[in-house]
Amino acid sequence: MEALRRKIQQEAVGIGTEVVKVDMFLNHLIDVPLAREMGEEFSRRFDADDIDCILTVEASGIITALTTAMAMGDKPVIFAKKGERRNIGRDVYTAQVYSFTHQKENTIRVSRSYLKKGMRVLIIDDFLANGAALRGLIDIVRQAECTLVGCGICIEKGWQPGGRELRQQGIRVESLAIVKGIENGKVIV
Amino acid sequence: MEALRRKIQQEAVGIGTEVVKVDMFLNHLIDVPLAREMGEEFSRRFDADDIDCILTVEASGIITALTTAMAMGDKPVIFAKKGERRNIGRDVYTAQVYSFTHQKENTIRVSRSYLKKGMRVLIIDDFLANGAALRGLIDIVRQAECTLVGCGICIEKGWQPGGRELRQQGIRVESLAIVKGIENGKVIV
């Protein structure tokens, strides 16, 4: 998606060889027109797939999940919660997700009340690197006996194995921008 | 706001005397048309106030902050992050927020790069109870030498002191629904 690629080239900051910092438009300060455009692009790519709901994980996944839901005619959005919660109840699907950003293992949870057997689910997330978060969400979709339509990702780190491994398993992964690497602080798309 | 009050009366679940469970439409499964309507209502209430940006805190505050930003002509949204982060940098405003839901103290952070002196800021959050999160956000607005236009809250727990205390300090707090209490598991609006 050209607008996103341009934004990454102009504004994203590479730290070391691994960290792509996009908090100036995606995951701290939100560029709202860009968020809407990304939702519209996911809608175009998955509109023929007759989805019932969009699944993401808090926090920044919520942004594009919501704009995608709006572009697809106000589909419901479910966001998996991280860690222990009082208010979500005990009747949940869970998966373990290792976060490389925060260097800790998180439990993600989705209430069994909302993800129902047979639903056609589109997963949306902002980043795909090692694929840990996505594998956790996919695991939950399978526990719930739903159909995974595919995964829509804003930014994929092409040099990390997540995207390749998931596609090899036959999972449809659509990334709006694939980052090739970091050179002298510049992010190469 | 009538649509929200009706939704609370029909679907919210009261647990004990304190917990208002609204994860069936607000903070786990998102009712997208309702989220959009809440954004439009905040836009009506604050449209004359010439705001520069919307400030919220992850995770569920992002939803209504985003729909409000859209309704107000795509204002930028900044969401404060909780806890330690690698990717946000060290140059941040911070505040301590005690979460009664998770029974722990969180540090919330906003990058100094995005909240700039003199900005007119609207704070949006999904819940107001003791007011801890809101006080943390207000503290950050003041550290940044921004002007606080007001606070838009989806659901205020009327029996808890946060709203009263903030209004007594002269802060404009607009709540779309004020919950009066919980009776036998029913949430009274």
Side-chain angles (χ1 to χ4, degrees):
Chain A
M1 188 190 140
E2 185 48 36
L4 177 60
R5 278 195 296 269
R6 203 168 47 234
K7 195 84 176 172
I8 293 169
Q9 279 163 338
Q10 287 169 354
E11 299 189 18
V13 176
I15 300 172
T17 57
E18 291 297 323
V19 176
V20 177
K21 189 169 178 283
V22 289
D23 70 357
M24 64 296 288
F25 61 86
L26 189 64
N27 52 19
H28 184 32
L29 175 67
I30 307 172
D31 180 320
V32 175
L34 182 67
R36 185 190 286 112
E37 270 187 73
M38 290 192 291
E40 288 164 355
E41 180 63 26
F42 284 131
S43 171
R44 274 188 288 275
R45 296 191 190 196
F46 291 103
D47 216 23
D49 294 288
D50 194 23
I51 71 157
D52 294 308
C53 77
I54 293 172
L55 178 66
T56 188
V57 59
E58 63 181 9
S60 45
I62 294 172
I63 301 156
T64 325
L66 188 58
T67 59
T68 304
M70 288 172 158
M72 295 182 95
D74 288 350
K75 299 291 181 189
V77 174
I78 300 167
F79 61 95
K81 299 199 168 195
K82 290 175 184 162
E84 281 293 342
R85 297 286 169 150
R86 259 171 59 190
N87 292 3
I88 185 175
R90 298 193 174 278
D91 204 14
V92 291
Y93 300 110
T94 65
Q96 297 301 313
V97 173
Y98 182 77
S99 166
F100 290 85
T101 309
H102 306 132
Q103 295 175 357
K104 67 171 184 180
E105 183 110 340
N106 276 312
T107 303
I108 63 170
R109 287 154 206 277
V110 173
S111 167
R112 287 172 191 256
S113 310
Y114 309 133
L115 204 56
K116 288 178 186 151
K117 185 174 172 174
M119 276 183 161
R120 296 176 59 79
V121 178
L122 169 61
I123 293 175
I124 296 283
D125 206 2
D126 55 344
F127 260 98
L128 170 57
N130 292 285
L134 222 47
R135 277 195 300 273
L137 290 169
I138 292 167
D139 185 16
I140 285 176
V141 169
R142 287 180 178 155
Q143 290 176 48
E145 298 179 64
C146 293
T147 301
L148 177 65
V149 166
C151 303
I153 301 296
C154 299
I155 301 176
E156 178 177 342
K157 288 179 177 173
W159 71 93
Q160 293 198 347
R164 192 180 63 241
E165 287 169 9
L166 290 164
R167 291 183 184 99
Q168 278 171 356
Q169 292 165 32
I171 291 164
R172 182 175 169 202
V173 180
E174 295 271 352
S175 298
L176 301 185
I178 299 181
V179 171
K180 295 203 183 92
I182 298 169
E183 283 174 16
N184 305 318
K186 280 288 281 183
V187 177
I188 313 299
V189 189
Chain B
M1 189 190 136
E2 185 49 36
L4 177 60
R5 279 195 295 268
R6 204 168 47 235
K7 195 85 176 171
I8 293 169
Q9 277 163 341
Q10 287 168 355
E11 299 188 19
V13 176
I15 301 172
T17 56
E18 292 297 324
V19 176
V20 176
K21 189 169 179 283
V22 289
D23 69 357
M24 63 297 287
F25 62 87
L26 188 65
N27 51 20
H28 184 32
L29 175 66
I30 307 172
D31 180 320
V32 175
L34 182 66
R36 185 189 288 110
E37 271 188 72
M38 291 192 290
E40 288 165 354
E41 179 62 25
F42 283 131
S43 171
R44 275 188 288 274
R45 296 191 190 196
F46 291 103
D47 217 22
D49 295 289
D50 193 24
I51 71 156
D52 295 308
C53 77
I54 293 173
L55 177 66
T56 189
V57 58
E58 64 182 8
S60 45
I62 294 172
I63 302 156
T64 324
L66 189 57
T67 59
T68 304
M70 288 172 158
M72 296 181 95
D74 289 350
K75 299 291 180 190
V77 174
I78 301 167
F79 61 96
K81 299 201 169 194
K82 290 174 184 163
E84 281 293 341
R85 296 286 168 149
R86 259 171 59 190
N87 292 4
I88 186 175
R90 299 194 173 277
D91 202 15
V92 291
Y93 300 109
T94 65
Q96 297 302 312
V97 173
Y98 183 77
S99 165
F100 290 85
T101 309
H102 306 132
Q103 296 175 355
K104 67 171 180 178
E105 184 112 340
N106 276 312
T107 303
I108 63 170
R109 286 154 207 276
V110 173
S111 168
R112 287 172 190 258
S113 311
Y114 309 134
L115 205 56
K116 288 177 187 151
K117 186 174 172 174
M119 276 184 161
R120 296 177 58 80
V121 179
L122 169 62
I123 293 175
I124 296 283
D125 206 2
D126 56 345
F127 260 98
L128 169 57
N130 293 284
L134 222 45
R135 276 194 301 272
L137 290 169
I138 292 168
D139 184 15
I140 284 175
V141 169
R142 288 181 178 153
Q143 289 176 50
E145 297 179 63
C146 294
T147 300
L148 177 65
V149 166
C151 303
I153 301 296
C154 299
I155 301 176
E156 178 177 342
K157 289 179 175 173
W159 72 93
Q160 292 196 348
R164 193 181 60 242
E165 287 168 8
L166 290 164
R167 290 183 185 99
Q168 278 170 355
Q169 293 165 30
I171 291 164
R172 182 176 169 202
V173 180
E174 295 271 350
S175 297
L176 300 186
I178 298 181
V179 171
K180 296 204 183 89
I182 298 169
E183 283 174 14
N184 305 318
K186 279 289 278 184
V187 177
I188 313 301
V189 188

